[in-house]
Amino acid sequence: MINQQWTNICNHKGWHSFLHLHKDPIQTFPENSQKSSNFNSFQTMSIIAEVPGFLQVLSNGLVKRFEPEISPASDESSGHGYKSKDVMIDSKKPISGRVFLPETPGSSSRLPVLVYFHGGGFCIGSTTWLGYHTFLGDLAVASQIIVLSVDYRLAPENRLPIAYDDCYSSLEWLSEQASSEPWLQRADISRVFLSGDSAGGNIVHNVAVKVIQGRAQFHIKIRGLLLIHPYFGSEKRTEKEKAGEGTGEVAMNDLFWNLSLPEGSNRDYSGCNFEMAAISRAEWDRFPAVVVYVAGLDFLKERGLMYAGFLEKKMVEVKLVEAEDQSHVYHVYHPKSEATNLLQKQMTEFIHRF
């Protein structure tokens, strides 16, 4: 039910605005909120922002999330050629992840590692969602790779750059655990790839920037970036955004940015507007190869094209791949579709170039 509701939103049906201001208070108990521990009874509060079926931001700062269907990890054979395991990356923050391992009886060859960051406007989403679990498990089999999918902390409780820092921490964890974690015994950490969809695609770029600008000595080597329908923005509207200002897609984007940007920042924050980051020529020379996947029916396609063009100007190796008749994050909502199968094949081809 929730998956269908969100699919309708992505297809621009049956809604008017993601930002709701309510004059009448509602009775609610924030049992799913990340801050619910301070409440022992029902409280009277109003909703000030809402993604129907997924997220409510309440007037007292509480955030309620309503999870769609989820899938547990299983270290037993899934019947689909892979098994999965949940791991704790940093218990203090907390940051967790899920490892997907393809079943390859009789083989001991090293496997590339793909670190994946889920989408959701930095405010919703989880590697436990059924769509992500299915897509990433199948990708591990199709590409013969180990997948580490990361659950970073979410906005608005944890505004940017926390998601970037958390996902960077997942690379440190991978570097440190590769020699001791049994599920990473076959990991070839000289062939690591970063991937993610929507806000996760944005995170891929910003984590890569942190890596090329950082002084940390990883034991891992990042070979390439695979951005799926990346979520970027700027104060200056694109022509498509100007035409749709005040309507569904623009309102949705603005809401998520308003909830996730650092306090006092606007859409020219470097995490949102990739043109604003201060990156030297020498750093661009260290930037990994990139493939950008866009969908023909996706409102964010324009931003994906702009990102690929920007990288070309910086002399970064970049490839653009379009799924002409598909919508935003179709691979999550339809993980068993022919279009998703094609995407997995395209990702496999990119990964095995290295």
Side-chain angles (χ1 to χ4, degrees):
M1 177 67 178
I2 292 178
N3 275 345
Q4 184 59 50
Q5 186 173 12
W6 185 246
T7 301
N8 287 345
I9 289 170
C10 289
N11 290 333
H12 328 312
K13 299 175 183 176
W15 70 295
H16 300 287
S17 173
F18 272 77
L19 184 59
H20 298 283
L21 296 177
H22 297 262
K23 294 181 179 179
D24 299 324
I26 62 168
Q27 296 290 327
T28 183
F29 181 63
E31 59 183 349
N32 294 327
S33 169
Q34 292 187 3
K35 297 183 179 179
S36 62
S37 58
N38 294 330
F39 286 78
N40 297 315
S41 61
F42 283 85
Q43 302 289 327
T44 300
M45 59 195 80
S46 59
I47 301 172
I48 59 171
E50 181 175 21
V51 179
F54 278 83
L55 177 76
Q56 291 178 343
V57 181
L58 307 179
S59 56
N60 63 351
L62 280 166
V63 179
K64 291 189 68 176
R65 292 183 175 85
F66 307 90
E67 298 291 350
E69 187 176 0
I70 64 174
S71 177
S74 175
D75 59 7
E76 302 292 332
S77 176
S78 65
H80 299 291
Y82 64 88
K83 53 186 179 179
S84 56
K85 172 186 176 180
D86 289 334
V87 295
M88 183 57 67
I89 293 171
D90 188 329
S91 59
K92 295 179 181 179
K93 292 182 177 178
I95 312 166
S96 60
R98 179 166 291 184
V99 178
F100 297 84
L101 189 65
E103 296 174 336
T104 54
S107 175
S108 58
S109 60
R110 293 283 184 176
L111 302 176
V113 179
L114 181 113
V115 183
Y116 195 90
F117 311 126
H118 67 76
F122 305 103
C123 298
I124 58 176
S126 170
T127 189
T128 65
W129 285 14
L130 180 60
Y132 282 115
H133 180 91
T134 303
F135 171 73
L136 294 173
D138 289 346
L139 179 63
V141 177
S143 300
Q144 287 298 286
I145 58 175
I146 297 171
V147 177
L148 169 62
S149 181
V150 181
D151 265 335
Y152 51 89
R153 288 173 290 174
L154 300 174
E157 306 97 315
N158 302 284
R159 290 177 174 268
L160 296 174
I162 287 178
Y164 306 146
D165 295 339
D166 286 359
C167 292
Y168 183 86
S169 294
S170 73
L171 302 185
E172 296 176 320
W173 179 89
L174 176 62
S175 179
E176 293 166 0
Q177 296 296 317
S179 61
S180 58
E181 166 56 54
W183 280 48
L184 297 177
Q185 283 183 352
R186 294 178 59 197
D188 183 353
I189 58 173
S190 71
R191 288 191 294 159
V192 174
F193 299 83
L194 308 185
S195 184
D197 62 273
S198 197
N202 174 298
I203 293 172
V204 167
H205 170 77
N206 283 287
V207 169
V209 171
K210 285 177 67 69
V211 170
I212 64 173
Q213 292 185 329
R215 297 181 179 178
Q217 296 298 312
F218 286 141
H219 298 299
I220 64 176
K221 173 68 174 178
I222 298 175
R223 296 286 187 170
L225 313 179
L226 302 88
L227 286 76
I228 306 172
H229 315 158
Y231 178 47
F232 294 111
S234 62
E235 280 296 294
K236 182 180 178 180
R237 300 289 197 190
T238 66
E239 291 304 315
K240 195 169 185 179
E241 289 167 351
K242 288 177 183 177
E245 196 154 14
T247 61
E249 298 94 340
V250 178
M252 176 176 67
N253 289 345
D254 286 353
L255 172 60
F256 279 128
W257 284 124
N258 288 339
L259 293 175
S260 61
L261 287 172
E263 294 288 353
S265 297
N266 62 23
R267 293 190 307 274
D268 281 334
Y269 168 66
S270 61
C272 176
N273 184 349
F274 47 78
E275 295 187 6
M276 294 297 176
I279 304 173
S280 70
R281 179 66 259 164
E283 289 165 345
W284 278 121
D285 289 342
R286 297 196 297 272
F287 205 79
V290 180
V291 58
V292 182
Y293 300 97
V294 297
L297 304 181
D298 184 7
F299 186 74
L300 293 179
K301 172 186 171 182
E302 195 173 25
R303 292 287 180 178
L305 298 176
M306 292 168 63
Y307 176 67
F310 174 75
L311 293 184
E312 276 192 337
K313 292 178 182 177
K314 298 298 181 181
M315 294 183 286
V316 172
E317 179 187 338
V318 58
K319 180 180 180 181
L320 184 70
V321 179
E322 179 174 350
E324 292 184 356
D325 299 320
Q326 300 301 318
S327 298
H328 191 61
V329 296
Y330 62 87
H331 63 294
V332 180
Y333 298 108
H334 308 289
K336 293 292 187 179
S337 68
E338 290 184 12
T340 297
N341 182 256
L342 176 59
L343 173 63
Q344 290 166 338
K345 289 180 180 178
Q346 293 165 337
M347 295 175 74
T348 299
E349 290 172 2
F350 179 81
I351 290 168
H352 287 285
R353 283 180 45 214
F354 300 89

